[in-house]
Amino acid sequence: MLKNALTKERVAHISIIFIVILVYFHPYININTMPARGDESNIVDSHTSDLLGQIALYPIESRKTLEEYGQFPFWSPWRLGGTPTFAKPQAVFFYINLPLILFAPTVFAGIKWSILLHFAIAAVAMYALMYYLSKNNLVSFVTAFVYTFNGYMVSRLNWGQTNIIYPYAWLPLIFLFTFYAFEKKEWVANSILVGIFFAFTVLGGGAQIFLYIAIMYIYFIILYFIINMLN
């Protein structure tokens, strides 16, 4: 009975965060618009920039290449007299949001729904990490809420930096499965999952963010072993 109550509490917490995401970012549900600098701000007191429009170029090119030529978009003939697409670190293609980009009603919808998806992943991932560390539903809920809606990440969204937002969503899972690898028997499987989530930070357009996360991760590993040796 107690276990069922705790499970219902966790579902309620996650549902609240999802509802707030949909309410707060409701302009991103619209399928026909893509904000860019000079447009009316979609979120009160926010700023928009050309970046938010430019991130639409890569998905548009990918979708156009697949639809018209039936091949992967390794090369774009439409910009700068021809330019590599997949080789560009911030061009997202072989990634979890590919079905949204290809099959959403519009490319703009695919991009904006991908953004909403990653805020949802960030919420669930941080909730799971904090529950593992604290075993407290309320602590997990508050931490996940703050992690999802902190001012820095919202500001990165306003500037169109999905190359930061996408890797950010996977960060809690990297640390969660690292704890699993150290503290549970299935260390091989958990280590593989850590590697997969690290790969997502690169495939999500955050090649430079991967470097920062890797440095932070190394410090975490060192501190983890030092603390455990002292204990």
Side-chain angles (χ1 to χ4, degrees):
M1 186 70 178
L2 178 60
K3 184 176 180 180
N4 290 336
L6 292 174
T7 301
K8 289 181 180 178
E9 184 180 4
R10 290 194 287 272
V11 171
H13 287 162
I14 295 298
S15 298
I16 290 171
I17 295 176
F18 283 0
I19 291 171
V20 175
I21 289 173
L22 293 176
V23 172
Y24 188 75
F25 298 115
H26 68 89
Y28 285 82
I29 300 174
N30 187 300
I31 68 173
N32 295 312
T33 61
M34 193 70 188
R37 189 170 62 191
D39 291 350
E40 182 179 354
S41 296
N42 278 341
I43 302 174
V44 177
D45 296 326
S46 72
H47 302 281
T48 55
S49 74
D50 286 343
L51 278 174
L52 206 51
Q54 287 174 355
I55 62 171
L57 290 176
Y58 307 122
I60 288 173
E61 291 173 347
S62 299
R63 191 157 167 166
K64 185 178 178 67
T65 302
L66 284 168
E67 289 175 352
E68 293 188 8
Y69 301 103
Q71 62 187 33
F72 288 128
F74 294 111
W75 179 264
S76 169
W78 297 288
R79 283 184 296 120
L80 304 174
T83 183
T85 299
F86 182 67
K88 192 173 181 62
Q90 292 182 346
V92 180
F93 184 73
F94 291 110
Y95 187 57
I96 65 163
N97 66 337
L98 181 59
L100 286 175
I101 296 301
L102 296 181
F103 302 114
T106 66
V107 175
F108 294 158
I111 296 167
K112 294 197 289 185
W113 293 353
S114 296
I115 291 171
L116 295 178
L117 171 65
H118 282 79
F119 274 93
I121 291 172
V124 174
M126 180 53 74
Y127 195 102
L129 173 61
M130 288 309 300
Y131 185 79
Y132 178 79
L133 295 176
S134 69
K135 298 298 186 291
N136 186 296
N137 287 328
L138 182 59
V139 170
S140 304
F141 171 67
V142 172
T143 307
F145 195 94
V146 172
Y147 187 77
T148 306
F149 297 102
N150 73 81
Y152 179 78
M153 290 313 300
V154 173
S155 71
R156 295 309 91 194
L157 170 59
N158 295 337
W159 288 106
Q161 293 179 310
T162 57
N163 61 305
I164 294 178
I165 295 168
Y166 290 176
Y168 181 81
W170 304 109
L171 189 57
L173 292 178
I174 289 174
F175 287 101
L176 175 62
F177 283 92
T178 299
F179 279 116
Y180 284 171
F182 286 148
E183 300 172 3
K184 295 184 179 295
K185 292 181 179 179
E186 301 82 6
W187 66 271
V188 174
N190 289 313
S191 297
I192 292 173
L193 287 172
V194 171
I196 290 173
F197 294 130
F198 259 118
F200 283 168
T201 66
V202 178
L203 295 174
Q208 70 275 44
I209 304 302
F210 166 81
L211 298 176
Y212 299 129
I213 294 176
I215 293 171
M216 180 172 60
Y217 187 78
I218 291 170
Y219 279 113
F220 164 76
I221 296 295
I222 293 172
L223 287 174
Y224 181 91
F225 280 108
I226 290 174
I227 291 171
N228 278 274
M229 283 190 296
L230 292 177
N231 292 335

